[in-house]
Amino acid sequence: MQQVFKRPVSLADVQTHFCPGCQHGTIHRIVAEALDDHNLRERTIGCASVGCSVFLYSYFDIDVVESPHGRASAVATGVKRARPESIVFTYQGDGDLAAIGTSEIIHAANRGEDITVIFVNNTTYGMTGGQMAPTTLVGQKTSTSPYGRNQSKDGAPLKMAELLANLEGVGFSARVAVNNPRNLIDARKQISKAFRYQAEGKGFSFIEALSACPTNWGMNPTQANERVAGELIPYFPIGVFKNSSEL
Amino acid sequence: MLQRKFVKGNEAVAMAAIEAGCRHYFGYPITPQSDIPEYLSREFPALGGEFIQAESEIAAINMLLGASACGVRCMTSSSGPGISLKQEGISYMAGSELPGVIVDICRQGPGLGGIDASQADYFQATRGGGHGGYRIIVLAPASVQEMYDLTMLAFDLSDIYRIPAMVFADAVIGQMKEAITANPRPVVDLPLKDWVVRGWKEGTEQRVVKSLKLGDGEMEAFHWQMHDRYLELQENESRWEEFETSDATLVITAFGSAARIAKSAVMMAREAGMKVGLLRPITLFPFPAKGYHDLTGRCRKILDIELSTGQMIDDVRLSVQPGTEIAFYGRPPGAGSLPTPEELFEQIKKHY
């Protein structure tokens, strides 16, 4: 019998700690598939961040450096400069990349560091218990915006994929979602493209992946998935914002 | 033929880093240490080195963390306000057992303070600085030659013990120019860096550089393991200089630029027939407690001199034999507030 579906070799054969309905596991899988597809596993060094994604090293069967909160793209810069032959990626949440790490991500992108950044946007601080993130939607209730995010006080949700696309050093910037099969297939394609950018030395590549956080949104997995389609995608449109080499 | 060169203290640090095999530097400009990034940005391209002017001190220390995890010799440098920002990354490097050299050319503080010399960052340098209860190796040069020699030593000790190492000098030492001998890199047995991330290879184990330790008892075990390494450092790497101490009844103690001025005052006292000596710590962590312990069996009194209101004095108190009298004279930072040898000689006469 022919095997048509299997676990990517870049992914460890373990159970994850993620909550039911969380899409980190799905995004992990398509990142691992991209590494497998391009035969990059043996060259890859991951930079884990702080938050739900810190356990990257438990789920990916690759070498990993842990980074302080927000600093993964600076750590990745050091890794890439020390080992230019490596494929280096960061995997960061929205609290990590769009709040405490905005300086690091903007400057790494602007330098055109030859790294790939996977940015998982679930509009909240997941591991710390669902506080307001820079990406929290206006009106969204969180444990630190109990009356809903107020734009006049808290600002508008940051659109990182569009923002970084404006920088000269960025080769590729896209936003994807994994809430339905069609979007998932496209997400896989864009993530694969982001790693190809790096493998071919074409500069900084950025993927923003919209993700559900049922636990902190106070929803069941189905409702959370519906929220991605009904609320997140209308504000954070999926698509490619920069593709400088037309890969 | 060894090369004699007339250079600034900061330049000697940069020259030593190159000689030590450092080809990765990440930094951010701040007075009075900017000669270091300037020198390396000029010299690295021809050597195949990577110089990055980071967007902040925070980014610079985290670039150092990433490069160190790959096993290369790497360095960053800064001064007071910048070192404060680097503490987060230094704590993570300590927690991840990563080597790396951090140069701190101290200026006045707290806050923006000023750009003149100070030793008031002693606590920050020697007590861990960041969170979590760790120590780093701290070396305190008192001359441009030592800026060169101790920077090279910092790379070796950091690699051997897998603890970040700091070269801790002040604006006077960083900015002064002296003739030095640019010694070649010493031959040192260094441990194999079998822990570095390098990309997975068939038949090898996954490698992870991290400080998160959630396993049952894992964190406690790590703390005791680091504690043992600190004791080992104390035993094997404590360094100090003694000057005219064999018959001294009063011993001056000071480090860095304060020790240079104190040495002149000790020579003035000797000319006046007074039995005065100097103990100068070269390593501030590990603190040379043995030097103080042995000496205070012979001398009557210690006079501690610092460019602060007194910080190293705590370590001195913990190191001397019971009953030793300890006096203090401090000149906390302030423009032009360096003590003169005559001023310190007056203190010697007062306490002799």
Side-chain angles (χ1 to χ4, degrees):
Chain A
M1 202 192 315
Q2 196 200 345
Q3 187 175 23
V4 293
F5 191 76
K6 60 177 181 175
R7 183 176 50 79
V9 292
S10 300
L11 216 51
D13 187 9
V14 292
Q15 282 193 337
T16 69
H17 74 291
F18 299 122
C19 304
C22 167
Q23 290 167 344
H24 267 305
T26 309
I27 299 163
H28 274 26
R29 183 184 172 96
I30 55 180
V31 169
E33 286 174 346
L35 297 179
D36 281 10
D37 287 351
H38 300 303
N39 206 20
L40 299 176
R41 181 193 176 202
E42 297 201 5
R43 295 165 58 193
T44 298
I45 297 173
C47 296
S49 57
V50 171
C52 295
S53 51
V54 68
F55 296 107
L56 197 72
Y57 44 78
S58 301
Y59 308 138
F60 281 86
D61 199 5
I62 57 169
D63 285 3
V64 174
V65 188
E66 170 199 277
S67 321
H69 195 183
R71 319 298 178 216
S73 48
V75 171
T77 298
V79 170
K80 189 73 180 191
R81 299 292 178 133
R83 284 192 188 272
E85 72 285 3
S86 299
I87 296 296
V88 182
F89 76 93
T90 76
Y91 190 102
Q92 304 174 256
D94 41 24
D96 189 277
L97 181 138
I100 193 168
T102 38
S103 171
E104 284 79 4
I105 191 65
I106 284 175
H107 289 280
N110 194 49
R111 280 192 302 270
E113 293 294 339
D114 208 4
I115 60 173
T116 300
V117 172
I118 309 294
F119 168 54
V120 179
N121 177 2
N122 61 13
T123 73
T124 190
Y125 282 72
M127 188 175 269
T128 44
Q131 293 85 5
M132 184 176 68
T135 46
T136 296
L137 293 179
V138 171
Q140 183 180 339
K141 288 182 179 170
T142 72
S143 61
T144 52
S145 56
Y147 309 108
R149 181 180 183 140
N150 175 347
Q151 187 170 335
S152 66
K153 178 167 83 73
D154 305 316
L158 272 175
K159 296 181 177 182
M160 291 307 297
E162 290 89 332
L163 198 150
L164 293 178
N166 287 318
L167 301 176
E168 293 294 327
V170 174
F172 184 73
S173 178
R175 184 182 290 113
V176 301
V178 294
N179 62 316
N180 61 39
R182 207 182 87 191
N183 286 346
L184 179 68
I185 290 166
D186 184 58
R188 195 179 182 283
K189 200 172 103 189
Q190 303 306 344
I191 287 178
S192 175
K193 210 181 275 184
F195 279 100
R196 251 182 78 198
Y197 250 87
Q198 185 182 170
E200 293 177 14
K202 290 181 169 158
F204 186 91
S205 52
F206 183 82
I207 295 285
E208 176 173 341
L210 300 177
S211 179
C213 185
T215 299
N216 286 305
W217 292 354
M219 296 175 175
N220 66 34
T222 309
Q223 292 167 331
N225 215 15
E226 284 165 0
R227 179 176 183 249
V228 173
E231 293 181 40
L232 267 62
I233 293 175
Y235 184 81
F236 295 113
I238 54 177
V240 176
F241 301 99
K242 190 168 192 181
N243 188 2
S244 61
S245 284
E246 298 300 333
L247 279 184
Chain B
M1 183 69 182
L2 290 173
Q3 273 188 304
R4 289 288 282 172
K5 287 197 167 173
F6 188 59
V7 295
K8 282 172 89 167
N10 287 339
E11 290 168 337
V13 166
M15 289 163 59
I18 290 171
E19 179 61 27
C22 170
R23 295 292 181 274
H24 292 82
Y25 173 92
F26 312 97
Y28 187 83
I30 182 172
T31 307
Q33 62 81 49
S34 296
D35 313 283
I36 299 172
E38 285 170 5
Y39 188 100
L40 293 174
S41 66
R42 191 175 67 235
E43 299 298 322
F44 262 3
L47 299 166
E50 281 281 350
F51 167 90
I52 298 188
Q53 182 166 318
E55 62 272 23
S56 70
E57 288 92 343
I58 298 172
I61 191 75
N62 284 291
M63 290 173 188
L64 193 76
L65 187 157
S68 176
C70 295
V72 300
R73 285 197 152 183
C74 47
M75 185 171 89
T76 186
S77 59
S78 194
S79 187
I83 294 290
S84 293
L85 290 172
K86 287 185 196 291
Q87 294 300 342
E88 172 197 80
I90 297 172
S91 169
Y92 273 78
M93 288 179 74
S96 307
E97 296 176 85
L98 286 174
V101 173
I102 301 132
V103 181
D104 183 0
I105 307 298
C106 299
R107 55 189 266 172
Q108 301 162 9
L112 199 52
I115 59 168
D116 287 320
S118 165
Q119 294 181 328
D121 295 345
Y122 180 93
F123 282 154
Q124 187 191 43
T126 61
R127 262 47 181 181
H131 63 282
Y134 66 91
R135 298 292 185 113
I136 60 170
I137 296 160
V138 183
L139 306 171
S143 66
V144 177
Q145 182 69 56
E146 278 195 344
M147 287 289 258
Y148 185 89
D149 295 340
L150 295 184
T151 298
M152 274 210 277
L153 179 65
F155 279 102
D156 287 340
L157 291 182
S158 184
D159 275 350
I160 292 167
Y161 293 92
R162 287 181 64 183
I163 292 173
M166 178 177 278
V167 176
F168 183 74
D170 61 50
V172 170
I173 307 285
Q175 294 293 323
M176 69 171 20
K177 245 179 158 176
E178 287 182 317
I180 66 160
T181 304
N183 297 312
R185 180 181 178 177
V187 180
V188 177
D189 261 344
L190 295 171
L192 184 70
K193 292 184 174 179
D194 56 2
W195 44 266
V196 305
V197 294
R198 75 292 191 226
W200 181 90
K201 294 282 177 289
E202 185 68 52
T204 63
E205 293 286 308
Q206 178 197 34
R207 289 182 180 172
V208 177
V209 171
K210 66 182 180 79
S211 60
L212 185 68
K213 295 166 177 67
L214 294 179
D216 202 14
E218 195 187 353
M219 194 73 217
E220 184 177 357
F222 173 73
H223 273 284
W224 286 118
Q225 182 197 327
M226 291 308 290
H227 179 74
D228 287 347
R229 217 176 296 173
Y230 299 150
L231 293 179
E232 201 184 321
L233 265 171
Q234 188 85 45
E235 184 64 28
N236 300 333
E237 310 296 347
S238 293
R239 286 169 167 80
W240 69 94
E241 180 200 357
E242 290 188 32
F243 175 69
E244 301 278 10
T245 54
S246 58
D247 62 343
T249 56
L250 173 68
V251 169
I252 313 299
T253 190
F255 71 95
S257 57
R260 286 177 74 108
I261 308 167
K263 201 177 220 176
S264 301
V266 166
M267 288 192 277
M268 291 166 80
R270 283 280 165 183
E271 276 175 32
M274 301 160 83
K275 290 180 178 174
V276 179
L278 173 77
L279 191 160
R280 174 175 72 89
I282 295 171
T283 53
L284 298 179
F285 186 84
F287 194 70
K290 189 177 184 308
Y292 290 92
H293 188 266
D294 293 352
L295 195 58
T296 48
R298 309 198 300 269
C299 76
R300 181 180 54 80
K301 190 173 182 180
I302 299 268
L303 170 59
D304 177 62
I305 292 168
E306 297 180 55
L307 305 182
S308 70
T309 53
Q311 298 188 0
M312 184 178 77
I313 190 168
D314 289 6
D315 287 328
V316 175
R317 284 195 189 106
L318 291 168
S319 304
V320 297
Q321 292 188 28
T324 306
E325 203 182 331
I326 297 174
F328 175 73
Y329 184 70
R331 290 295 306 275
S337 69
L338 283 181
T340 61
E342 292 75 15
E343 184 179 336
L344 298 187
F345 183 42
E346 286 306 311
Q347 289 299 313
I348 288 171
K349 285 195 275 190
K350 187 174 150 194
H351 292 283
Y352 188 66

Tab-separated table of all heavy atoms in Angstrom, chain B residues 273-303:
chain	number	residue	atom	x	y	z
B	273	GLY	N	59.101	56.771	54.431
B	273	GLY	CA	59.487	55.774	55.426
B	273	GLY	C	58.326	55.033	56.066
B	273	GLY	O	58.492	54.388	57.107
B	274	MET	N	57.153	55.123	55.458
B	274	MET	CA	55.979	54.453	56.045
B	274	MET	C	55.790	53.078	55.390
B	274	MET	O	55.970	52.924	54.187
B	274	MET	CB	54.713	55.318	55.812
B	274	MET	CG	54.828	56.698	56.424
B	274	MET	SD	53.654	57.869	55.685
B	274	MET	CE	52.186	57.493	56.602
B	275	LYS	N	55.413	52.107	56.208
B	275	LYS	CA	55.234	50.735	55.699
B	275	LYS	C	53.811	50.567	55.160
B	275	LYS	O	52.914	50.106	55.868
B	275	LYS	CB	55.526	49.726	56.808
B	275	LYS	CG	57.002	49.669	57.180
B	275	LYS	CD	57.263	48.676	58.272
B	275	LYS	CE	58.750	48.609	58.572
B	275	LYS	NZ	59.051	47.761	59.738
B	276	VAL	N	53.668	50.986	53.925
B	276	VAL	CA	52.348	50.959	53.285
B	276	VAL	C	52.433	50.151	51.992
B	276	VAL	O	53.424	50.244	51.262
B	276	VAL	CB	51.865	52.400	52.984
B	276	VAL	CG1	50.508	52.383	52.288
B	276	VAL	CG2	51.786	53.215	54.271
B	277	GLY	N	51.429	49.336	51.732
B	277	GLY	CA	51.395	48.541	50.506
B	277	GLY	C	50.054	48.681	49.786
B	277	GLY	O	49.171	49.418	50.242
B	278	LEU	N	49.941	47.967	48.661
B	278	LEU	CA	48.709	48.029	47.861
B	278	LEU	C	48.278	46.619	47.455
B	278	LEU	O	49.103	45.832	47.003
B	278	LEU	CB	48.953	48.854	46.591
B	278	LEU	CG	47.812	48.878	45.568
B	278	LEU	CD1	46.689	49.809	46.004
B	278	LEU	CD2	48.321	49.302	44.187
B	279	LEU	N	47.015	46.332	47.633
B	279	LEU	CA	46.434	45.108	47.076
B	279	LEU	C	45.414	45.532	46.034
B	279	LEU	O	44.451	46.229	46.355
B	279	LEU	CB	45.765	44.256	48.163
B	279	LEU	CG	45.365	42.830	47.742
B	279	LEU	CD1	45.186	41.941	48.969
B	279	LEU	CD2	44.109	42.774	46.896
B	280	ARG	N	45.659	45.117	44.792
B	280	ARG	CA	44.763	45.508	43.699
B	280	ARG	C	44.073	44.270	43.124
B	280	ARG	O	44.720	43.422	42.510
B	280	ARG	CB	45.569	46.191	42.586
B	280	ARG	CG	44.737	46.493	41.340
B	280	ARG	CD	45.537	47.270	40.321
B	280	ARG	NE	46.557	46.467	39.659
B	280	ARG	CZ	46.347	45.764	38.536
B	280	ARG	NH1	45.161	45.770	37.967
B	280	ARG	NH2	47.327	45.064	37.987
B	281	PRO	N	42.756	44.141	43.332
B	281	PRO	CA	42.055	43.022	42.694
B	281	PRO	C	42.082	43.190	41.175
B	281	PRO	O	41.841	44.283	40.658
B	281	PRO	CB	40.617	43.145	43.209
B	281	PRO	CG	40.678	44.067	44.374
B	281	PRO	CD	41.839	44.977	44.124
B	282	ILE	N	42.395	42.122	40.487
B	282	ILE	CA	42.347	42.116	39.018
B	282	ILE	C	41.054	41.427	38.570
B	282	ILE	O	40.419	41.860	37.630
B	282	ILE	CB	43.593	41.401	38.447
B	282	ILE	CG1	44.853	42.215	38.800
B	282	ILE	CG2	43.469	41.210	36.938
B	282	ILE	CD1	46.159	41.509	38.495
B	283	THR	N	40.662	40.378	39.302
B	283	THR	CA	39.335	39.793	39.073
B	283	THR	C	38.415	40.329	40.169
B	283	THR	O	38.748	40.270	41.353
B	283	THR	CB	39.366	38.247	39.136
B	283	THR	OG1	39.976	37.843	40.369
B	283	THR	CG2	40.159	37.665	37.990
B	284	LEU	N	37.286	40.865	39.775
B	284	LEU	CA	36.303	41.351	40.769
B	284	LEU	C	35.265	40.260	41.036
B	284	LEU	O	34.695	40.190	42.114
B	284	LEU	CB	35.634	42.624	40.276
B	284	LEU	CG	36.594	43.818	40.071
B	284	LEU	CD1	35.830	45.030	39.562
B	284	LEU	CD2	37.351	44.152	41.349
B	285	PHE	N	34.996	39.426	40.030
B	285	PHE	CA	34.355	38.140	40.275
B	285	PHE	C	35.096	37.116	39.442
B	285	PHE	O	35.110	37.244	38.239
B	285	PHE	CB	32.856	38.115	39.941
B	285	PHE	CG	32.263	36.803	40.372
B	285	PHE	CD1	31.850	36.630	41.677
B	285	PHE	CD2	32.226	35.717	39.505
B	285	PHE	CE1	31.382	35.396	42.108
B	285	PHE	CE2	31.774	34.481	39.946
B	285	PHE	CZ	31.341	34.329	41.240
B	286	PRO	N	35.736	36.117	39.983
B	286	PRO	CA	35.811	35.816	41.414
B	286	PRO	C	36.614	36.873	42.177
B	286	PRO	O	37.657	37.317	41.684
B	286	PRO	CB	36.518	34.464	41.454
B	286	PRO	CG	37.353	34.438	40.212
B	286	PRO	CD	36.546	35.165	39.181
B	287	PHE	N	36.122	37.246	43.335
B	287	PHE	CA	36.838	38.226	44.149
B	287	PHE	C	38.021	37.542	44.824
B	287	PHE	O	37.862	36.446	45.362
B	287	PHE	CB	35.889	38.822	45.202
B	287	PHE	CG	36.436	40.058	45.851
B	287	PHE	CD1	36.548	41.237	45.121
B	287	PHE	CD2	36.865	40.040	47.172
B	287	PHE	CE1	37.070	42.391	45.692
B	287	PHE	CE2	37.388	41.187	47.755
B	287	PHE	CZ	37.488	42.365	47.022
B	288	PRO	N	39.200	38.185	44.810
B	288	PRO	CA	40.395	37.511	45.351
B	288	PRO	C	40.426	37.490	46.886
B	288	PRO	O	41.306	38.083	47.531
B	288	PRO	CB	41.554	38.326	44.775
B	288	PRO	CG	40.987	39.668	44.511
B	288	PRO	CD	39.532	39.490	44.199
B	289	ALA	N	39.481	36.802	47.469
B	289	ALA	CA	39.343	36.759	48.927
B	289	ALA	C	40.602	36.216	49.600
B	289	ALA	O	40.989	36.675	50.678
B	289	ALA	CB	38.133	35.898	49.293
B	290	LYS	N	41.249	35.261	48.934
B	290	LYS	CA	42.452	34.639	49.533
B	290	LYS	C	43.540	35.686	49.743
B	290	LYS	O	44.228	35.672	50.765
B	290	LYS	CB	42.941	33.515	48.610
B	290	LYS	CG	44.033	32.675	49.214
B	290	LYS	CD	44.439	31.537	48.285
B	290	LYS	CE	45.478	30.632	48.937
B	290	LYS	NZ	46.649	31.348	49.471
B	291	GLY	N	43.668	36.587	48.766
B	291	GLY	CA	44.676	37.641	48.884
B	291	GLY	C	44.463	38.463	50.141
B	291	GLY	O	45.408	38.736	50.901
B	292	TYR	N	43.246	38.844	50.394
B	292	TYR	CA	42.925	39.647	51.588
B	292	TYR	C	43.112	38.833	52.859
B	292	TYR	O	43.625	39.316	53.855
B	292	TYR	CB	41.483	40.159	51.522
B	292	TYR	CG	41.284	41.211	50.473
B	292	TYR	CD1	40.892	40.870	49.184
B	292	TYR	CD2	41.501	42.561	50.760
B	292	TYR	CE1	40.726	41.833	48.206
B	292	TYR	CE2	41.327	43.536	49.788
B	292	TYR	CZ	40.941	43.155	48.510
B	292	TYR	OH	40.782	44.122	47.547
B	293	HIS	N	42.673	37.582	52.788
B	293	HIS	CA	42.744	36.736	53.976
B	293	HIS	C	44.194	36.550	54.419
B	293	HIS	O	44.540	36.726	55.586
B	293	HIS	CB	42.090	35.376	53.697
B	293	HIS	CG	41.961	34.528	54.911
B	293	HIS	ND1	42.910	33.593	55.267
B	293	HIS	CD2	41.019	34.502	55.885
B	293	HIS	CE1	42.548	33.023	56.394
B	293	HIS	NE2	41.396	33.550	56.793
B	294	ASP	N	45.055	36.213	53.461
B	294	ASP	CA	46.466	35.986	53.787
B	294	ASP	C	47.118	37.277	54.269
B	294	ASP	O	47.872	37.278	55.241
B	294	ASP	CB	47.223	35.446	52.570
B	294	ASP	CG	46.749	34.042	52.212
B	294	ASP	OD1	45.963	33.476	53.001
B	294	ASP	OD2	47.137	33.539	51.142
B	295	LEU	N	46.801	38.377	53.610
B	295	LEU	CA	47.455	39.650	53.929
B	295	LEU	C	47.051	40.171	55.298
B	295	LEU	O	47.872	40.721	56.046
B	295	LEU	CB	47.074	40.668	52.841
B	295	LEU	CG	47.894	41.941	52.775
B	295	LEU	CD1	49.372	41.611	52.568
B	295	LEU	CD2	47.401	42.801	51.632
B	296	THR	N	45.772	39.998	55.618
B	296	THR	CA	45.309	40.564	56.887
B	296	THR	C	45.784	39.755	58.089
B	296	THR	O	45.552	40.139	59.231
B	296	THR	CB	43.774	40.724	56.903
B	296	THR	OG1	43.163	39.527	56.448
B	296	THR	CG2	43.353	41.883	56.031
B	297	GLY	N	46.481	38.626	57.834
B	297	GLY	CA	47.180	37.956	58.923
B	297	GLY	C	48.428	38.747	59.310
B	297	GLY	O	48.951	38.603	60.420
B	298	ARG	N	48.888	39.585	58.386
B	298	ARG	CA	50.155	40.297	58.603
B	298	ARG	C	49.954	41.800	58.843
B	298	ARG	O	50.661	42.401	59.629
B	298	ARG	CB	51.075	40.142	57.381
B	298	ARG	CG	51.273	38.704	56.918
B	298	ARG	CD	52.488	38.565	56.021
B	298	ARG	NE	52.433	39.379	54.809
B	298	ARG	CZ	51.935	38.944	53.643
B	298	ARG	NH1	51.468	37.719	53.534
B	298	ARG	NH2	51.930	39.735	52.582
B	299	CYS	N	49.024	42.421	58.140
B	299	CYS	CA	48.891	43.878	58.284
B	299	CYS	C	47.819	44.219	59.320
B	299	CYS	O	47.032	43.374	59.734
B	299	CYS	CB	48.577	44.522	56.942
B	299	CYS	SG	46.882	44.298	56.431
B	300	ARG	N	47.804	45.451	59.717
B	300	ARG	CA	46.940	45.890	60.810
B	300	ARG	C	45.610	46.433	60.289
B	300	ARG	O	44.566	46.273	60.903
B	300	ARG	CB	47.715	46.987	61.577
B	300	ARG	CG	47.046	47.586	62.779
B	300	ARG	CD	47.955	48.654	63.404
B	300	ARG	NE	48.391	49.676	62.438
B	300	ARG	CZ	47.656	50.712	62.051
B	300	ARG	NH1	46.449	50.871	62.519
B	300	ARG	NH2	48.132	51.594	61.183
B	301	LYS	N	45.693	47.078	59.117
B	301	LYS	CA	44.529	47.845	58.677
B	301	LYS	C	44.465	47.900	57.148
B	301	LYS	O	45.508	47.915	56.488
B	301	LYS	CB	44.677	49.266	59.234
B	301	LYS	CG	43.463	50.149	59.095
B	301	LYS	CD	43.724	51.464	59.843
B	301	LYS	CE	42.547	52.397	59.807
B	301	LYS	NZ	42.820	53.644	60.527
B	302	ILE	N	43.254	47.928	56.640
B	302	ILE	CA	43.022	48.059	55.187
B	302	ILE	C	42.337	49.406	54.941
B	302	ILE	O	41.383	49.741	55.647
B	302	ILE	CB	42.104	46.936	54.663
B	302	ILE	CG1	42.715	45.556	54.883
B	302	ILE	CG2	41.716	47.180	53.209
B	302	ILE	CD1	43.536	45.006	53.760
B	303	LEU	N	42.850	50.138	53.954
B	303	LEU	CA	42.185	51.387	53.535
B	303	LEU	C	41.669	51.175	52.112
B	303	LEU	O	42.452	50.997	51.176
B	303	LEU	CB	43.163	52.569	53.598
B	303	LEU	CG	42.693	53.889	52.966
B	303	LEU	CD1	41.406	54.405	53.601
B	303	LEU	CD2	43.801	54.955	53.045
